[in-house]
């Protein structure tokens, strides 16, 4: 019987979440399912099984939300699904999701992997309550994944035990990105595109500085930022 991996993400799936989807869709030896608060973009990121709180009736959802607030436990809906599907592992995407999944992990006695991606190590720890919450996750979670060595270093500084944090780079399929040699076209124009959300961590400032340095060497360079 193929082992079931339950992927937990707050909202499935924002349009720029292809890097999460690749981790779900490329499993070969395991069967993935998703638990989430709300479904979206399933036409872009299809999965074999997905269970969302938004599928429940408004009354059922309200009762479950009150139960979680009063008891500090997990959503009964999620625990029933994972027990029925005999999930072997809980993979929480983002550090804050990992923290909120701890009651589910405890109730079902599941091993839990939490992958950090960015704001959960840069923004959340600015709040005292989240520094405490992350320490709880580091203590009770089984494995913490970071996309690079710098993020691993940051997690260690936040108090994650070194034996629990591992580097797992976000992989890509190079076969889907054909190489095209770049040459200056007949008009002699150089176009530079910056792709990414407009956030500090994307380094758009550095791209603009680089553009400014090469601009004097070419005639009429153009930069095309895209979100």
């Amino acid at each position: 019987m193929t082992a079931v991996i339950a992927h937990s993400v707050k909202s499935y799936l924002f349009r720029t979440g292809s890097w999460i989807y690749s981790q779900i869709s490329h499993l070969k030896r395991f069967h993935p399912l998703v638990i989430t608060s709300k479904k979206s973009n399933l036409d872009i990121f299809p999965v074999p099984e997905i269970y969302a709180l938004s599928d429940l009736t408004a009354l059922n959802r309200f009762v479950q939300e009150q139960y979680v607030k009063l008891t500090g436990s997990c959503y009964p809906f999620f625990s029933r699904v994972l027990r029925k599907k005999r999930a072997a592992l809980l993979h929480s995407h983002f550090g804050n999701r990992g923290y909120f999944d701890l009651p589910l992990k405890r109730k079902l006695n599941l091993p839990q992997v939490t992958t950090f991606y960015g704001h959960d190590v840069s923004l959340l720890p600015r709040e005292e309550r989240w520094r405490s919450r992350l320490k709880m996750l580091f203590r009770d979670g089984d494995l913490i994944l970071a996309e690079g060595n710098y993020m691993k270093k940051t997690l260690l500084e936040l108090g994650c035990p070194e034996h629990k944090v591992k580097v797992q780079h976000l992989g890509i399929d190079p076969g889907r990105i054909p190489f095209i040699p770049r040459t200056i076209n007949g008009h002699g124009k150089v176009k530079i595109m910056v792709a990414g959300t407009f956030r500090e961590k994307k380094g758009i400032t550095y791209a603009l500085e680089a553009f400014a340095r090469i601009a004097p060497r070419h005639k009429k360079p153009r930069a095309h930022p895209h979100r």
Side-chain angles (χ1 to χ4, degrees):
M1 182 177 179
T2 303
V4 173
I5 306 299
H7 293 267
S8 177
V9 58
K10 182 178 180 180
S11 180
Y12 186 91
L13 192 59
F14 44 93
R15 294 184 66 88
T16 59
S18 57
W19 31 279
I20 291 180
Y21 182 66
S22 65
Q23 297 178 66
I24 299 173
S25 61
H26 286 84
L27 291 176
K28 301 299 183 183
R29 296 184 292 117
F30 306 96
H31 176 77
L33 65 80
V34 173
I35 56 173
T36 185
S37 299
K38 183 180 179 180
K39 295 177 183 176
S40 61
N41 296 315
L42 282 170
D43 55 329
I44 304 174
F45 306 119
V47 287
E49 289 188 76
I50 183 169
Y51 302 90
L53 291 174
S54 59
D55 287 339
L56 304 178
T57 64
L59 177 60
N60 190 347
R61 191 164 59 249
F62 174 78
V63 170
Q64 298 216 25
E65 288 172 349
Q66 295 306 307
Y67 173 80
V68 170
K69 289 180 181 179
L70 291 173
T71 66
S73 185
C74 59
Y75 285 95
F77 173 64
F78 289 151
S79 63
R80 285 197 300 269
V81 167
L82 298 197
R83 184 177 286 113
K84 180 179 179 181
K85 295 296 180 177
R86 298 183 180 180
L89 180 122
L90 176 62
H91 187 167
S92 304
H93 295 275
F94 289 98
N96 44 340
R97 188 69 175 184
Y99 167 78
F100 288 122
D101 282 340
L102 284 175
L104 182 60
K105 164 195 166 51
R106 296 185 188 114
K107 186 176 183 65
L108 299 182
N109 193 29
L110 281 175
Q112 180 194 26
V113 175
T114 300
T115 301
F116 281 72
Y117 294 107
H119 81 276
D120 39 11
V121 293
S122 60
L123 294 181
L124 291 185
R126 297 180 184 180
E127 300 180 31
E128 174 60 33
R129 63 169 181 161
W130 271 108
R131 288 195 293 273
S132 299
R133 288 175 173 181
L134 291 179
K135 287 180 180 178
M136 189 181 300
L137 174 63
F138 298 152
R139 182 192 69 200
D140 297 343
D142 297 281
L143 181 64
I144 305 297
L145 297 180
E147 54 79 31
N149 289 316
Y150 181 81
M151 184 178 289
K152 177 181 178 179
K153 177 177 177 292
T154 304
L155 288 166
L156 293 175
E157 292 172 349
L158 289 172
C160 185
E162 188 166 7
H163 72 277
K164 283 192 176 183
V165 59
K166 306 293 181 184
V167 172
Q168 176 173 275
H169 301 293
L170 298 179
I172 61 171
D173 181 2
R176 298 184 61 184
I177 309 175
F179 173 71
I180 302 175
R182 302 303 191 213
T183 58
I184 297 177
N185 61 32
H187 300 288
K189 296 178 181 179
V190 176
K191 295 182 180 181
I192 299 173
M193 182 179 74
V194 179
T197 52
F198 284 84
R199 299 180 184 177
E200 181 182 359
K201 66 180 182 179
K202 299 300 181 180
I204 293 175
T205 301
Y206 302 120
L208 294 176
E209 289 175 354
F211 175 78
R213 291 179 65 179
I214 69 164
R217 307 177 193 176
H218 300 277
K219 296 180 180 179
K220 299 181 180 179
R222 296 180 181 180
H224 297 273
H226 287 273
R227 296 189 66 170

CSV table of all heavy atoms in Angstrom, one decimal, residues 104-127:
chain,number,residue,atom,x,y,z
A,104,LEU,N,-2.8,19.0,15.4
A,104,LEU,CA,-3.2,17.9,14.5
A,104,LEU,C,-2.1,16.8,14.6
A,104,LEU,O,-2.4,15.6,14.7
A,104,LEU,CB,-3.3,18.4,13.1
A,104,LEU,CG,-3.7,17.3,12.0
A,104,LEU,CD1,-5.1,16.7,12.3
A,104,LEU,CD2,-3.8,18.0,10.6
A,105,LYS,N,-0.8,17.2,14.6
A,105,LYS,CA,0.3,16.2,14.8
A,105,LYS,C,0.1,15.4,16.1
A,105,LYS,O,0.3,14.2,16.1
A,105,LYS,CB,1.6,17.0,14.7
A,105,LYS,CG,2.8,16.2,15.3
A,105,LYS,CD,4.0,17.1,15.6
A,105,LYS,CE,5.0,16.3,16.4
A,105,LYS,NZ,5.4,15.0,15.8
A,106,ARG,N,-0.2,16.2,17.1
A,106,ARG,CA,-0.2,15.5,18.5
A,106,ARG,C,-1.4,14.6,18.5
A,106,ARG,O,-1.3,13.4,19.0
A,106,ARG,CB,-0.3,16.6,19.6
A,106,ARG,CG,0.9,17.5,19.7
A,106,ARG,CD,0.7,18.4,20.9
A,106,ARG,NE,1.8,19.4,20.9
A,106,ARG,CZ,1.6,20.7,20.7
A,106,ARG,NH1,0.4,21.2,20.5
A,106,ARG,NH2,2.6,21.6,20.8
A,107,LYS,N,-2.6,15.0,18.0
A,107,LYS,CA,-3.8,14.2,18.1
A,107,LYS,C,-3.6,12.8,17.4
A,107,LYS,O,-4.0,11.8,17.8
A,107,LYS,CB,-5.0,14.9,17.5
A,107,LYS,CG,-6.3,14.2,17.7
A,107,LYS,CD,-7.5,15.0,17.2
A,107,LYS,CE,-8.8,14.3,17.4
A,107,LYS,NZ,-9.1,14.2,18.9
A,108,LEU,N,-3.0,12.9,16.2
A,108,LEU,CA,-2.8,11.7,15.4
A,108,LEU,C,-1.5,11.0,15.6
A,108,LEU,O,-1.2,10.0,14.9
A,108,LEU,CB,-3.0,12.0,13.9
A,108,LEU,CG,-4.4,12.6,13.5
A,108,LEU,CD1,-4.5,12.9,12.1
A,108,LEU,CD2,-5.5,11.7,14.0
A,109,ASN,N,-0.6,11.6,16.4
A,109,ASN,CA,0.7,11.1,16.6
A,109,ASN,C,1.5,10.9,15.3
A,109,ASN,O,2.1,9.8,15.0
A,109,ASN,CB,0.7,9.8,17.4
A,109,ASN,CG,2.0,9.3,17.9
A,109,ASN,OD1,2.9,10.2,18.2
A,109,ASN,ND2,2.2,8.0,18.0
A,110,LEU,N,1.4,12.0,14.5
A,110,LEU,CA,2.1,11.9,13.1
A,110,LEU,C,3.4,12.6,13.2
A,110,LEU,O,3.6,13.6,13.8
A,110,LEU,CB,1.2,12.6,12.1
A,110,LEU,CG,0.0,11.9,11.5
A,110,LEU,CD1,-0.8,12.9,10.6
A,110,LEU,CD2,0.4,10.7,10.8
A,111,PRO,N,4.4,12.0,12.4
A,111,PRO,CA,5.7,12.8,12.2
A,111,PRO,C,5.3,14.0,11.4
A,111,PRO,O,4.5,14.0,10.5
A,111,PRO,CB,6.6,11.8,11.5
A,111,PRO,CG,5.7,10.8,10.9
A,111,PRO,CD,4.5,10.7,11.8
A,112,GLN,N,6.0,15.2,11.7
A,112,GLN,CA,5.7,16.4,11.0
A,112,GLN,C,6.9,17.0,10.4
A,112,GLN,O,7.9,17.2,11.1
A,112,GLN,CB,5.0,17.4,11.9
A,112,GLN,CG,4.6,18.7,11.3
A,112,GLN,CD,4.3,19.8,12.3
A,112,GLN,OE1,4.7,19.7,13.5
A,112,GLN,NE2,3.5,20.8,11.9
A,113,VAL,N,6.9,17.4,9.1
A,113,VAL,CA,7.9,18.1,8.5
A,113,VAL,C,7.4,19.5,8.2
A,113,VAL,O,6.2,19.6,7.7
A,113,VAL,CB,8.3,17.5,7.1
A,113,VAL,CG1,9.3,18.3,6.4
A,113,VAL,CG2,8.9,16.1,7.4
A,114,THR,N,8.1,20.6,8.5
A,114,THR,CA,7.7,21.9,8.2
A,114,THR,C,8.8,22.6,7.3
A,114,THR,O,9.9,22.6,7.6
A,114,THR,CB,7.5,22.8,9.5
A,114,THR,OG1,6.5,22.2,10.3
A,114,THR,CG2,7.1,24.2,9.1
A,115,THR,N,8.3,23.1,6.2
A,115,THR,CA,9.2,23.8,5.3
A,115,THR,C,9.0,25.3,5.4
A,115,THR,O,7.9,25.8,5.3
A,115,THR,CB,9.0,23.4,3.8
A,115,THR,OG1,9.2,22.0,3.7
A,115,THR,CG2,10.0,24.1,2.9
A,116,PHE,N,10.1,26.0,5.6
A,116,PHE,CA,10.1,27.5,5.7
A,116,PHE,C,10.5,28.0,4.3
A,116,PHE,O,11.3,27.4,3.6
A,116,PHE,CB,11.1,28.0,6.7
A,116,PHE,CG,10.6,27.8,8.2
A,116,PHE,CD1,10.5,26.6,8.8
A,116,PHE,CD2,10.3,29.0,8.9
A,116,PHE,CE1,10.1,26.5,10.1
A,116,PHE,CE2,9.8,28.9,10.2
A,116,PHE,CZ,9.7,27.6,10.8
A,117,TYR,N,9.9,29.2,4.0
A,117,TYR,CA,10.2,29.7,2.7
A,117,TYR,C,10.7,31.2,2.6
A,117,TYR,O,11.3,31.6,1.6
A,117,TYR,CB,8.8,29.7,1.9
A,117,TYR,CG,8.4,28.2,1.6
A,117,TYR,CD1,7.3,27.7,2.3
A,117,TYR,CD2,9.1,27.4,0.7
A,117,TYR,CE1,6.9,26.4,2.0
A,117,TYR,CE2,8.7,26.1,0.4
A,117,TYR,CZ,7.6,25.6,1.1
A,117,TYR,OH,7.2,24.3,0.9
A,118,GLY,N,10.4,32.0,3.6
A,118,GLY,CA,10.8,33.4,3.5
A,118,GLY,C,10.3,34.3,4.6
A,118,GLY,O,11.0,34.6,5.6
A,119,HIS,N,9.0,34.7,4.4
A,119,HIS,CA,8.5,35.7,5.4
A,119,HIS,C,8.4,35.0,6.8
A,119,HIS,O,8.4,35.7,7.8
A,119,HIS,CB,7.1,36.2,5.0
A,119,HIS,CG,6.0,35.2,5.3
A,119,HIS,ND1,5.7,34.2,4.5
A,119,HIS,CD2,5.2,35.2,6.4
A,119,HIS,CE1,4.6,33.5,5.0
A,119,HIS,NE2,4.3,34.1,6.2
A,120,ASP,N,8.3,33.7,6.9
A,120,ASP,CA,8.2,33.0,8.1
A,120,ASP,C,9.5,33.0,8.9
A,120,ASP,O,9.5,32.7,10.1
A,120,ASP,CB,7.7,31.6,7.9
A,120,ASP,CG,8.3,30.9,6.7
A,120,ASP,OD1,9.2,31.4,6.1
A,120,ASP,OD2,7.8,29.8,6.4
A,121,VAL,N,10.6,33.4,8.3
A,121,VAL,CA,11.9,33.5,9.0
A,121,VAL,C,12.3,35.0,9.1
A,121,VAL,O,13.2,35.3,9.9
A,121,VAL,CB,13.0,32.6,8.5
A,121,VAL,CG1,12.7,31.2,8.7
A,121,VAL,CG2,13.2,33.0,7.0
A,122,SER,N,11.8,35.8,8.2
A,122,SER,CA,12.2,37.2,8.2
A,122,SER,C,11.2,38.2,8.9
A,122,SER,O,11.6,39.1,9.6
A,122,SER,CB,12.4,37.7,6.7
A,122,SER,OG,11.2,37.5,6.0
A,123,LEU,N,9.9,38.0,8.7
A,123,LEU,CA,8.9,38.9,9.2
A,123,LEU,C,8.3,38.4,10.6
A,123,LEU,O,8.2,39.1,11.5
A,123,LEU,CB,7.8,39.1,8.2
A,123,LEU,CG,8.2,39.9,6.9
A,123,LEU,CD1,7.0,40.1,6.0
A,123,LEU,CD2,8.8,41.2,7.3
A,124,LEU,N,7.9,37.1,10.6
A,124,LEU,CA,7.2,36.6,11.8
A,124,LEU,C,8.0,36.8,13.1
A,124,LEU,O,7.5,37.2,14.1
A,124,LEU,CB,6.8,35.2,11.6
A,124,LEU,CG,5.7,34.9,10.6
A,124,LEU,CD1,5.4,33.4,10.6
A,124,LEU,CD2,4.5,35.7,10.9
A,125,PRO,N,9.3,36.5,13.0
A,125,PRO,CA,10.1,36.6,14.3
A,125,PRO,C,10.3,38.0,14.8
A,125,PRO,O,10.8,38.2,15.9
A,125,PRO,CB,11.5,36.0,13.9
A,125,PRO,CG,11.2,35.1,12.7
A,125,PRO,CD,10.1,35.9,12.0
A,126,ARG,N,9.8,39.0,14.1
A,126,ARG,CA,9.9,40.3,14.6
A,126,ARG,C,8.9,40.5,15.8
A,126,ARG,O,9.0,41.5,16.5
A,126,ARG,CB,9.6,41.4,13.5
A,126,ARG,CG,10.6,41.4,12.4
A,126,ARG,CD,10.3,42.4,11.3
A,126,ARG,NE,11.3,42.3,10.2
A,126,ARG,CZ,11.2,43.1,9.1
A,126,ARG,NH1,10.3,44.0,9.0
A,126,ARG,NH2,12.1,42.9,8.2
A,127,GLU,N,7.9,39.6,15.9
A,127,GLU,CA,6.9,39.6,16.9
A,127,GLU,C,7.3,38.6,18.0
A,127,GLU,O,7.6,37.5,17.7
A,127,GLU,CB,5.5,39.3,16.4
A,127,GLU,CG,5.0,40.3,15.3
A,127,GLU,CD,3.6,39.9,14.8
A,127,GLU,OE1,2.8,39.4,15.6
A,127,GLU,OE2,3.4,40.1,13.6
